[in-house]
Amino acid sequence: MDYAIREIEARDNQAVEHVIRTCLIEFGGNREGMAWCDPDLGRFSEVYSREGFRYWVVVDQTDRVVGGAGIGGLTDGVCELQKMYCLPEARGTGVAHGLMERALAYAGQYYQRCYIETLHNMTAANRFYRKYGFTPLDAPLLDTGHFSCDVWYIKEL
């Protein structure tokens, strides 16, 4: 199947929330301290509409959202790769590479470093981040509210 990547639109909000919740359930992330409890989970088109913030969705041939990733500012010079998830059917297709390349290119226009927090049991995601030059941290960079994440990375842009 062919996939396309585009910026999020208001009509995608519920579908993105569904993708994220589906993936979090798959990896045991449906709990406090994870994106599961983020109050803006269904409002991405609004949250990511300001300068230095962007969210992209992966859509199939019928324009159904099957994945996404975003960049959001954290502190001066540091952004975060946020809510990067793909449904199982889109994994292994190369769309994650397209999302990452788009996100890092955008981030490089506004920030000097990119931060990620995730779970250790997301083994494919952890390999993927390292492949893109993210280096592990011993502790969270700062308090993002995602206290249940147990793996953290940083990358110089």
Side-chain angles (χ1 to χ4, degrees):
M1 178 165 294
D2 290 330
Y3 296 99
I5 298 172
R6 61 171 170 76
E7 286 189 24
I8 192 168
E9 299 172 6
R11 65 187 172 108
D12 301 320
N13 284 336
Q14 286 184 322
V16 170
E17 181 175 358
H18 169 76
V19 168
I20 292 169
R21 290 193 185 283
T22 299
C23 293
L24 286 171
I25 289 169
E26 178 183 356
F27 292 98
N30 52 330
R31 62 183 192 266
E32 287 287 327
M34 298 292 298
W36 185 265
C37 296
D38 286 0
D40 291 326
L41 207 51
R43 301 182 48 245
F44 279 11
S45 65
E46 295 88 12
V47 171
Y48 289 93
S49 65
R50 57 190 163 156
E51 194 73 12
F53 287 70
R54 204 59 84 234
Y55 198 89
W56 300 269
V57 294
V58 176
V59 294
D60 67 12
Q61 294 169 320
T62 66
D63 207 36
R64 184 175 70 94
V65 175
V66 296
I71 290 291
L74 289 181
T75 64
D76 283 345
V78 181
C79 67
E80 182 180 22
L81 180 69
Q82 298 176 334
K83 319 266 186 316
M84 184 169 184
Y85 296 100
C86 288
L87 293 176
E89 68 200 64
R91 296 178 197 156
T93 65
V95 297
H97 293 284
L99 281 170
M100 181 66 85
E101 288 165 11
R102 224 174 258 217
L104 292 176
Y106 180 83
Q109 298 173 42
Y110 298 93
Y111 306 98
Q112 289 78 50
R113 297 187 302 159
C114 186
Y115 174 69
I116 302 172
E117 44 192 22
T118 189
L119 295 171
H120 74 278
N121 68 330
M122 294 179 141
T123 53
N126 282 282
R127 278 192 313 270
F128 180 74
Y129 298 144
R130 288 174 186 249
K131 183 177 186 174
Y132 272 90
F134 284 87
T135 57
L137 297 170
D138 293 329
L141 188 63
L142 54 114
D143 180 10
T144 63
H146 295 148
F147 55 83
S148 291
C149 289
D150 56 6
V151 179
W152 313 274
Y153 295 99
I154 196 81
K155 175 181 175 60
E156 298 294 324
L157 298 174

